[in-house]
Amino acid sequence: MAEWTSAVGAAQLARQLRAQQTRPAGPGARKPPAYRALADGVRLLVLEGRVPVAARLPAERELALTLAVSRTTVAAAYEALRSEGFLESRRGAGSWTAVPAGNPLPARGLEPLPPESLGSMIDLGCASLPAPEPWLTRAVQGALEELSPYARTHGDYPAGLPALRQMIADRYTGLGVPTMPEQIMVTTGAMGAIDAICHLFAGRGERIAVESPSYANILQLMRETGARLVPVAMQEGLGGWDMNRWRQVLRDAAPRLAYVVADFHNPTGALADEDQRRALVDAARSAGTVLVVDETMNELRLDPGARMPRRVCAFDRAGSTVVTVGSASKAFWAGMRIGWVRAAPDVIRSLVAARAYADMGTPVLEQLAVNWLMRTGGWQEAVRLRREQARDNRDALVAALRRELPDWEFSVPDGGLTLWVRTGGLSGSRLAVAGERVGVRVPSGPRFGVDGAFEGYVRLPFTVSGPVAEEAAVRLAAAARLVGSGAGADTEAPRSFVA
C-alpha cells in the first residue's frame, strides 16, 4: 500500500485502546511488556475494522504524550506492527495501518456469513431467520398472478406501488394513527429508507443523536454519509431510554436528526413505554430535531403477555416531528427487501424526488408479494410462525448460556431477535477473534457503540435452536477460555459482521 487514505488522531486512538477490557491475569501469569500490549491493542482495532486499513497513525511522540508512556514504548510497538504486516511507513509520510499479505480486509460494512461457510461455523452475527414457509412461496405465487397488468407498464414506481402504499397506510390507520397513502414511500429495505432520510435531512458534518448502544449497520451507514454521531446512553438492562439524557442532548447538541429503535431495541431488546415515547417526541419537537423511529422489530413480540405501547408517531399529532421506518425483513424474511417510510406528505415528496438519483424504485414483484401477504392474512400467519421460532430459539440460547457461561450477564427481552450480553470482564473484540478459531461467529460490543464503547459486551441473536444453540454456547465458552488465558488475540482477521 503506497499511501494512507485517512487519519486517526492520538486522542481517538487512546480512547479506543483504553476501552479494551480484559479479565485480570490469573496468579503466576506474566504481564506482557508495555510495547507488546500497545501493539496488540492497535492490531486488534485493525482486525475489528474499528481503525480502518490505510489509516495514518499518530506520530510516535504525540501518541506517547497522549498515552503517558515513553516514546521508546511507542516506537517498539510500531516496529512490532511493521514486522507483523500491520503497519507500513515511509519517511516523510508517516505510518499507516495495513493487513498482512493473504489476510482478508476487515469489513467495515456488515454482512452475513456466506452460505457455503455455514457447515463449519455457527453464525451468531446475523440476526435473521429462514423464511416462514409456506408463506414465502405462496406470496411469490400470488404476486406472479397479479404481475401481468404491471408488466405492461414501465415498472418504475419511485414512491412504491399504489396498492401497497394504500395497504401500509390502512395498517397504520387501523392502529389508531390515521394515515394517507401520500404519507407512505416504499423503499428497498429499512436501510434504503434510512439512507434516503439521512441524505435529505443530515448533510456532511450534521449531528445525529443515536442510542448507545445502537444498531451497528445504521451507525456505519451514518458514518459513511459524513454525519457526526452523538451517543445517548441507554439505561441498564431493559430500562430503555434515559429521558433526562435525551433532553440534555437534544437541547445542548441540537442534532438535525435523532435515530431510535423503540420496539425491542437492537441490540438490547428494550421496549420503550408510552411515557418515554411521548416525552421523546415532545423533546425532539422543542429542539427542532427530526425523530427517525425504526419499527422493524415491532411485530416480534415473543411473550403473549407483553403489552405493546402505541406507535411513536401516535404522539406526533402535528405530523411534523416523527419519521417512521418499517420493513418486512425482520418480521418476515431478510430476503424480502421491502421497507417503507411514513412521514408528512411534503417529506415523502422530497424523499421521492431525491430518490431518482439513487435507486429509482423498489422491485415490483416483491412489492406485490408483500401486498398479497397483507391483503390475504398471510402476513399475520407468517409473523405468528416467526414469533414461535424466535421464542423457542431465545429460550434454548438463554438456557445454554446460563449453563456454559454462568458469569455472563444479560436480561431476557420480551421480544425482538437479540440478546445483549456482558461478558464477565472479557474483551468482546478478543472473543470475536477467538470465536473464529473455535467455530462460532459473534459480533463484539464495539460494533454497536461510538468510538470504542461496549468492549465488554457481545450481541447474540435468536437464530439457532436446540442442539445448535447448545453447541454455540459450548464454543463461546471455549472462546472465553482462550481469551481468559491470554491466547485469544490471533493474527487471523475476524469477521464479526452484523445484520
Side-chain angles (χ1 to χ4, degrees), residues 132 135 139 171 296 299 311 326-333 336 338 340 369-387:
W135 294 105
R171 285 172 60 85
T296 53
E299 303 266 14
R311 304 290 179 105
S327 171
S329 296
K330 297 298 185 185
F332 185 73
W333 183 47
M336 188 68 76
I338 297 295
W340 54 86
V370 171
N371 189 60
W372 183 93
L373 284 165
M374 292 181 172
R375 189 183 73 246
T376 63
W379 178 268
Q380 288 83 351
E381 287 300 311
V383 169
R384 181 183 61 79
L385 291 175
R386 170 68 74 237
R387 288 171 176 166

Side-chain angles (χ1 to χ4, degrees), residues 204-287:
R204 182 167 293 275
E206 291 276 8
R207 296 185 182 93
I208 301 179
V210 295
E211 296 149 327
S212 183
S214 187
Y215 180 30
N217 281 339
I218 296 299
L219 295 180
Q220 188 60 30
L221 183 155
M222 291 173 175
R223 293 185 187 105
E224 297 287 345
T225 65
R228 298 165 59 190
L229 302 184
V230 183
V232 186
M234 299 279 287
Q235 297 187 62
E236 287 294 319
L238 299 177
W241 299 339
D242 184 324
M243 283 314 307
N244 289 331
R245 288 172 175 164
W246 271 103
R247 292 188 188 94
Q248 181 179 357
V249 167
L250 294 177
R251 181 182 64 246
D252 296 347
R256 186 70 182 91
L257 288 179
Y259 169 77
V260 297
V261 184
D263 304 303
F264 307 120
H265 175 260
N266 187 353
T268 69
L271 177 65
D273 62 32
E274 290 203 356
D275 288 341
Q276 291 172 323
R277 295 168 189 240
R278 181 183 295 104
L280 185 58
V281 172
D282 290 345
R285 184 185 300 115
S286 297

Side-chain angles (χ1 to χ4, degrees), residues 345-357:
D346 61 318
V347 172
I348 295 296
R349 286 192 294 270
S350 297
L351 287 170
V352 171
R355 185 178 195 176
Y357 306 101

Side-chain angles (χ1 to χ4, degrees), residues 48 89 93 101 107 140 142 172 190 193 270 305 312 346 378 382 418 469 482:
E48 271 281 284
S89 304
V140 173
Y172 277 105
V312 177
D346 61 318
T418 58
L482 282 174

Side-chain angles (χ1 to χ4, degrees), residues 445-490:
R447 291 283 186 184
F448 304 88
V450 177
D451 201 15
F454 305 109
E455 185 63 61
Y457 289 81
V458 293
R459 189 198 74 170
L460 304 179
F462 312 144
T463 52
V464 293
S465 62
V468 181
E470 294 175 6
E471 178 62 22
V474 168
R475 296 185 187 187
L476 284 170
R481 287 192 295 271
L482 282 174
V483 175
S485 69
D490 197 280

Side-chain angles (χ1 to χ4, degrees), residues 57-408:
L57 295 186
E60 294 172 1
R61 185 186 301 277
E62 181 185 10
L63 185 58
L65 288 171
T66 303
L67 294 175
V69 299
S70 70
R71 184 176 177 182
T72 302
T73 296
V74 177
Y78 279 15
E79 181 56 37
L81 290 166
R82 275 189 289 269
S83 68
E84 296 164 2
F86 286 92
L87 198 69
E88 295 186 14
S89 304
R90 196 179 71 221
R91 186 177 296 277
S95 299
W96 57 91
T97 56
V99 293
N103 279 41
L105 290 176
R108 302 194 71 212
L110 307 171
E111 305 169 357
L113 189 69
E116 61 269 18
S117 302
L118 292 176
S120 59
M121 184 74 66
I122 297 176
D123 186 8
L124 295 181
C126 185
S128 299
L129 293 164
E133 288 286 35
W135 294 105
L136 174 62
T137 298
R138 292 180 182 177
V140 173
Q141 290 171 342
L144 286 171
E145 292 173 0
E146 299 174 3
L147 181 60
S148 181
Y150 296 95
R152 292 193 290 270
T153 73
H154 48 64
D156 185 5
Y157 297 89
L161 293 185
L164 182 55
R165 297 176 72 195
Q166 182 70 61
M167 181 64 66
I168 295 170
D170 289 346
R171 285 172 60 85
Y172 277 105
T173 299
L175 292 167
V177 188
T179 303
M180 303 178 295
E182 291 80 9
Q183 291 177 261
I184 302 295
M185 180 177 83
V186 181
T187 64
T188 307
M191 291 289 288
I194 294 172
D195 181 60
I197 293 166
C198 287
H199 280 91
L200 178 64
F201 286 103
R204 182 167 293 275
E206 291 276 8
R207 296 185 182 93
I208 301 179
V210 295
E211 296 149 327
S212 183
S214 187
Y215 180 30
N217 281 339
I218 296 299
L219 295 180
Q220 188 60 30
L221 183 155
M222 291 173 175
R223 293 185 187 105
E224 297 287 345
T225 65
R228 298 165 59 190
L229 302 184
V230 183
V232 186
M234 299 279 287
Q235 297 187 62
E236 287 294 319
L238 299 177
W241 299 339
D242 184 324
M243 283 314 307
N244 289 331
R245 288 172 175 164
W246 271 103
R247 292 188 188 94
Q248 181 179 357
V249 167
L250 294 177
R251 181 182 64 246
D252 296 347
R256 186 70 182 91
L257 288 179
Y259 169 77
V260 297
V261 184
D263 304 303
F264 307 120
H265 175 260
N266 187 353
T268 69
L271 177 65
D273 62 32
E274 290 203 356
D275 288 341
Q276 291 172 323
R277 295 168 189 240
R278 181 183 295 104
L280 185 58
V281 172
D282 290 345
R285 184 185 300 115
S286 297
T289 297
V290 175
L291 182 61
V292 181
V293 180
D294 185 334
E295 290 187 341
T296 53
M297 295 286 186
N298 177 271
E299 303 266 14
L300 295 174
R301 174 179 53 84
L302 304 186
D303 293 326
R307 179 181 176 274
M308 292 300 296
R310 285 178 288 172
R311 304 290 179 105
V312 177
C313 54
F315 301 96
D316 181 26
R317 296 190 180 280
S320 58
T321 299
V322 175
V323 175
T324 303
V325 172
S327 171
S329 296
K330 297 298 185 185
F332 185 73
W333 183 47
M336 188 68 76
R337 305 306 302 168
I338 297 295
W340 54 86
V341 179
R342 181 198 180 275
D346 61 318
V347 172
I348 295 296
R349 286 192 294 270
S350 297
L351 287 170
V352 171
R355 185 178 195 176
Y357 306 101
D359 65 355
M360 297 294 292
T362 302
V364 170
L365 188 62
E366 293 185 26
Q367 293 187 71
L368 288 172
V370 171
N371 189 60
W372 183 93
L373 284 165
M374 292 181 172
R375 189 183 73 246
T376 63
W379 178 268
Q380 288 83 351
E381 287 300 311
V383 169
R384 181 183 61 79
L385 291 175
R386 170 68 74 237
R387 288 171 176 166
E388 291 176 357
Q389 184 180 17
R391 180 170 60 248
D392 290 345
N393 290 358
R394 179 198 63 184
D395 295 346
L397 181 63
V398 165
L401 288 173
R402 284 176 172 164
R403 182 178 62 252
E404 299 293 335
L405 291 155
D407 57 333
W408 286 19

